Amino acid sequence: MTATLVSNLLSIALLTSTPVLLAMLGETLTERTGVINLGVEGQMLVGAAAGFAATHASGNPWLGLLVGALAGTLLSSIHALLCLALGVNQIASGLAILFLGNGLSSFYGTSLVGQQIDGFHSMAHGWLALLPGIGPFLGQLTPTVYLAAFLLIASGIFLYRTQWGLVWRAAGESADALRMLGKRPVALRLAGVLVGGLLTGLAGAALSVDYTRTWVEQMTAGRGLLAVGLVIVARWNPWLALPVALIYGLAEALSLRLQSAGADLSPYLLGTLPYLVPLIVLLLTYRGSQRANAMPQELAGVFRGMA
Amino acid sequence: MGRKPGAAPVRAGGRDSRLPAPCICFFYFNGYAPLEIFRQIALGAFGNAFSTNTTLAKSIPILFCALATALPARMGLVSVGAEGQLYFGALAGTAAVLSLTTAPFWQLFPATLALTLMGGALWGAIPGILRAGLGVNETIVTILMNYIGIQLVEYAVYGPWKDAGNLGWPATIAFPQAAKFPTIAVGAFSSNWALVLAVVLALGLHLLVERSRWGTALALLRSNPRVARMAGLSYVTHAIAVMALAGSFAGLAGLVQTANVQNHLQPDISSGYGYVGFLVAWLAGQNFLRIIPLALLMGGLLSAGDALQLFAQLPFANTVVMQALLFISVLGVGAWREKRRSAT
């Protein structure tokens, strides 16, 4: 009984946290090169709208994910243009991107509201579900969960185990050191912003194509901004992004679960959990730890109001 | 790369022919006549007394929220929390209205105002305390607290504070006249005293920050915390005070929206005014004087958006896109000019 309950909670948590995890991975990779992009929310929204539209038109959810990822990349390129080419303050530029993505997705998504798509086939009867013991649990998950898991491992290995990952991290720590290596910081940062756009667009598409299978205006409901915050909780580390995203997902799953169980608490108070819990985790992880050590040094300047 | 915010003198209103170019492209691409749309926007924002009054009404919360962003920025704190502070300020102010509903103006209004200021200040002080005490990044805490503040208002109006007389509509009782900012009218133009308060605040802050010891202290804390510490300035005290003060400004936006515009506390107090205010503050280069015309411009754009929805059948999303394109052009052009100037 309790085992089923835990497995149910965990699978809901995995499903709800997948878009957030993807967005966190994207923003982690961006920030590691020394650029912060607050436009994640906007990139997720255009990814969700474009991905949904492509799935609706073609009937192929994989194509939807791809189109969503490309839409996110396209929007993030504006952020790259503003910050890297023109030297606009990154925080301000990111919020402008957020607004733009919000407006564009609402504008072009008007005709998508209320449309139906099929999304991915259920994996409840595939070969995964036939595995002994954990089969039923694995079968409850959807392809994007596995895709996110793969991308998590890929970005973790890339950042910490490859030569390019070392250069990538050096871009965020010290542009001068990078120049001494004979690499160009701007080129790496451009890559950082675009890869971030790709993953956050994918995150939005995962939300609309796979998780909710609908398009609603502003459906990301703050997940993008939250992801930027959770990147800090996870200390710019892809490996830590998983537990942090899961904590968010569990809070979300728990509040959904308690609501459906008819808890005495108001659903609106429970609705604060997904934001309150990361906040508390943020405080707990800050206590007694060496602060600012985990932050890429080039980012610290942005937060001090220099761009 | 080593540019301070506000170093780029962005001219408000953008007397720059390149400025609306992205907007023109957007409209043209979607099959609208750009020039006609721009004419409609100008008319919708300032065409007659009614539209001007709407513009003013929308500019007030934007102005307060811009002040709430610019003040912490003067100290190098990046607060994105005006939206949540607006909501929590309104929530706290409503508590006074609900407990003193029948009190006369001179009792009810100060009480409402005081609680609003305290509520907003609390919502601003928490990230300030966490930043100063534990070094937790204030940008993130303010973002998280925005959502918590919005949810708390929803809890109140769907739950304990819901008025049964609203036939299921989630809102409190209607605010009595005594809880509102008094009206101010000049000819056909009417607004309320919150507008005057916001403008006076902006002017006062400008003087303080530019001319007073306190302003210098903030600048020093931003640019060189070590020197500031040696000069005996406490980062902790200043950070908490500045964040609390800023929060109380945003709270005022919540009060004027709730009492004077919407007449009840209801779930959607603000249509993103906190974020629009944030952008206005950054566009103004955190300069309190420049914030005033820019807030007015944004208010105009928002009220024109409403008008366009009615007359030109353009969805409101257009306005958001236009706002964003405007921001991007102003930011981009400003930075580009700065780059050219420093290159020559």
Side-chain angles (χ1 to χ4, degrees):
Chain A
M1 169 63 215
T2 41
T4 5
L5 189 72
V6 169
S7 119
N8 271 343
L9 260 185
L10 194 62
S11 61
I12 295 174
L14 275 168
L15 292 172
T16 50
S17 59
T18 294
V20 173
L21 177 64
L22 284 168
M24 279 175 74
L25 288 178
E27 184 66 10
T28 300
L29 288 172
T30 303
E31 289 191 25
R32 276 291 188 172
T33 61
V35 182
I36 186 166
N37 184 355
L38 281 185
V40 173
E41 180 92 9
Q43 287 158 201
M44 276 180 87
L45 278 166
V46 292
F52 186 85
T55 311
H56 186 253
S58 71
N60 183 347
W62 291 107
L63 187 69
L65 292 185
L66 181 69
V67 171
L70 290 177
T73 316
L74 205 61
L75 189 60
S76 71
S77 68
I78 300 177
H79 183 64
L81 171 80
L82 286 173
C83 303
L84 301 174
L86 297 170
V88 171
N89 178 285
Q90 296 177 5
I91 305 257
S93 162
L95 269 182
I97 298 292
L98 189 160
F99 266 67
L100 185 61
N102 181 348
L104 287 175
S105 63
S106 302
F107 185 82
Y108 290 112
T110 318
S111 58
L112 301 172
V113 176
Q115 299 282 9
Q116 299 280 321
I117 53 165
D118 288 335
F120 291 98
H121 293 293
S122 160
M123 296 165 70
H125 306 294
W127 58 268
L128 259 180
L130 296 174
L131 290 175
I134 52 170
F137 172 73
L138 292 179
Q140 284 178 339
L141 306 177
T142 58
T144 52
V145 178
Y146 293 102
L147 181 63
F150 167 74
L151 287 169
L152 167 80
I153 294 164
S155 31
I157 290 175
F158 165 75
L159 267 186
Y160 295 117
R161 292 276 174 269
T162 65
Q163 188 191 356
W164 270 106
L166 186 62
V167 173
W168 192 276
R169 280 180 291 143
E173 292 304 334
S174 163
D176 295 338
L178 202 66
R179 284 192 196 95
M180 288 185 188
L181 289 173
K183 307 271 192 262
R184 293 175 44 226
V186 171
L188 271 158
R189 285 178 182 159
L190 177 65
V193 172
L194 294 182
V195 167
L198 188 84
L199 286 172
T200 47
L202 178 66
L207 187 70
S208 67
V209 172
D210 189 24
Y211 182 60
T212 65
R213 296 191 183 186
T214 53
W215 162 256
V216 186
E217 272 190 21
Q218 299 180 26
M219 66 185 296
T220 48
R223 285 184 182 84
L225 275 172
L226 185 74
V228 179
L230 295 182
V231 165
I232 297 182
V233 181
R235 309 210 181 159
W236 296 272
N237 181 336
W239 300 118
L240 286 179
L242 179 65
V244 171
L246 266 182
I247 287 170
Y248 158 81
L250 276 172
E252 182 87 16
L254 205 65
S255 79
L256 289 171
R257 180 93 206 137
L258 284 170
Q259 280 172 50
S260 60
D264 281 344
L265 263 176
S266 150
Y268 301 100
L269 285 185
L270 286 172
T272 61
L273 276 184
Y275 307 104
L276 203 56
V277 171
L279 191 60
I280 292 165
V281 172
L282 186 66
L283 299 187
L284 293 179
T285 52
Y286 260 90
R287 290 192 59 181
S289 70
Q290 283 294 313
R291 69 178 175 90
N293 267 5
M295 184 186 257
Q297 284 307 298
E298 292 281 331
L299 273 185
V302 177
F303 277 109
R304 273 202 299 274
M306 319 282 270
Chain B
M1 270 290 164
R3 214 166 47 74
K4 285 194 175 61
V10 178
R11 262 187 288 161
R15 287 179 297 273
D16 192 313
S17 56
R18 281 165 308 198
L19 197 63
C23 298
I24 291 181
C25 295
F26 177 70
F27 287 130
Y28 191 76
F29 184 69
N30 287 301
Y32 300 108
L35 292 176
E36 178 53 25
I37 295 279
F38 283 133
R39 208 177 65 86
Q40 291 284 357
I41 289 173
L43 283 176
F46 302 101
N48 56 33
F50 174 77
S51 54
T52 308
N53 291 345
T54 316
T55 296
L56 288 177
K58 289 188 190 288
S59 305
I60 297 169
I62 296 175
L63 185 49
F64 277 128
C65 291
L67 299 180
T69 307
L71 183 61
R74 284 295 182 135
M75 205 183 136
L77 296 170
V78 181
S79 161
V80 195
E83 188 82 356
Q85 292 151 6
L86 180 155
Y87 272 83
F88 199 76
L91 187 72
T94 305
V97 175
L98 292 177
S99 59
L100 301 167
T101 314
T102 53
F105 176 81
W106 60 269
Q107 283 175 348
L108 178 55
F109 189 70
T112 310
L113 201 58
L115 270 179
T116 300
L117 291 171
M118 282 196 273
L122 173 72
W123 226 239
I126 293 171
I129 292 168
L130 296 180
R131 168 66 207 240
L134 299 173
V136 183
N137 181 300
E138 73 285 354
T139 309
I140 296 323
V141 177
T142 49
I143 287 173
L144 290 174
M145 284 184 64
N146 282 348
Y147 293 101
I148 297 172
I150 294 170
Q151 291 276 358
L152 288 178
V153 168
E154 294 204 344
Y155 160 71
V157 297
Y158 277 96
W161 289 359
K162 187 171 171 178
D163 179 36
N166 290 333
L167 305 172
W169 179 53
T172 59
I173 52 166
F175 273 43
Q177 203 57 38
K180 300 180 184 194
F181 283 95
T183 320
I184 187 174
V186 181
F189 301 113
S190 79
S191 185
N192 59 58
W193 281 95
L195 177 65
V196 179
L197 178 62
V199 172
V200 167
L201 263 180
L203 296 175
L205 283 167
H206 178 75
L207 284 177
L208 275 175
V209 166
E210 298 292 332
R211 299 282 161 82
S212 76
R213 186 176 165 276
W214 181 62
T216 314
L218 293 188
L220 196 57
L221 283 163
R222 183 186 74 195
S223 57
N224 206 330
R226 252 202 10 242
V227 174
R229 205 174 315 129
M230 285 195 273
L233 295 169
S234 157
Y235 187 87
V236 175
T237 318
H238 277 277
I240 296 171
V242 158
M243 288 296 285
L245 199 58
S248 66
F249 300 156
L252 287 172
L255 177 61
V256 72
Q257 268 305 94
T258 304
N260 287 63
V261 178
Q262 294 174 333
N263 202 19
H264 307 76
L265 184 72
Q266 57 189 57
D268 37 7
I269 302 174
S270 145
S271 31
Y273 288 129
Y275 297 109
V276 177
F278 179 95
L279 284 168
V280 164
W282 282 82
L283 283 187
Q286 320 297 357
N287 174 316
F288 292 111
L289 277 190
R290 279 203 212 109
I291 281 176
I292 302 172
L294 279 171
L296 205 61
L297 186 78
M298 280 302 139
L301 205 56
L302 284 179
S303 69
D306 289 347
L308 283 178
Q309 240 175 317
L310 287 170
F311 300 117
Q313 304 298 314
L314 276 168
F316 190 76
N318 242 304
T319 314
V320 185
V321 173
M322 242 169 26
Q323 256 184 344
L325 291 175
L326 189 75
F327 282 128
I328 288 171
S329 342
V330 173
L331 288 170
V333 169
W336 183 71
R337 278 207 187 123
E338 185 64 19
K339 245 190 146 74
R340 270 204 338 191
R341 192 173 303 116
S342 56
T344 49

